[in-house]
Amino acid sequence: APIADELAQAQPQRMGKSHSANLYLAYMLLDDAKSLQAIPLLKKAAALKKESAEPYEALARAYRNLRNWTAALKAADTSISLEPRSFDGYFSRACALARLGRTQEALKALEKAAEIDPDLSDLFGDEADLKSLASHPRFKKLLPTEAAK
């Protein structure tokens, strides 16, 4: 995201005040596999708009990318506290809990994510963080029918 970095450096006053600018630059960094660089921007976005769950959803993703399961879980839980219908929050919560070996809690979070947005349950089977749950009957029930066969 070199162009985005240049824009951000050229507009320090805007970056200091804009939730959206920090958030979208962080998204570009996340998409560019630069999770560590995205974290300070996401924290700034969260501080600028305290009621928004979105920076915490992205923070959970960044921490998952860095394999920091405890921080990912904390960010996911914060996003859920701000937005109780956060699919991304519950999905990241499930991924972090699965990686921490907390299977039952992970399944419960995944069931909640599926309840919030059933159309996105096709993501579950492909997610590396959820592989430890793959053989569990409750997990298989959440997969789209064609994937369960």
Side-chain angles (χ1 to χ4, degrees), residues 108-122:
K108 186 176 178 189
L110 213 51
E111 287 164 351
K112 185 68 176 173
E115 175 191 310
I116 290 167
D117 195 339
D119 294 339
L120 292 177
S121 63
D122 57 344

Side-chain angles (χ1 to χ4, degrees), residues 51 53 57 76-90 109 112-113 115-116:
E51 73 282 1
E57 293 169 348
D77 286 347
T78 301
S79 76
I80 293 165
S81 72
L82 291 166
E83 174 48 65
R85 306 257 327 137
S86 170
F87 173 88
D88 288 342
Y90 280 103
K112 185 68 176 173
E115 175 191 310
I116 290 167

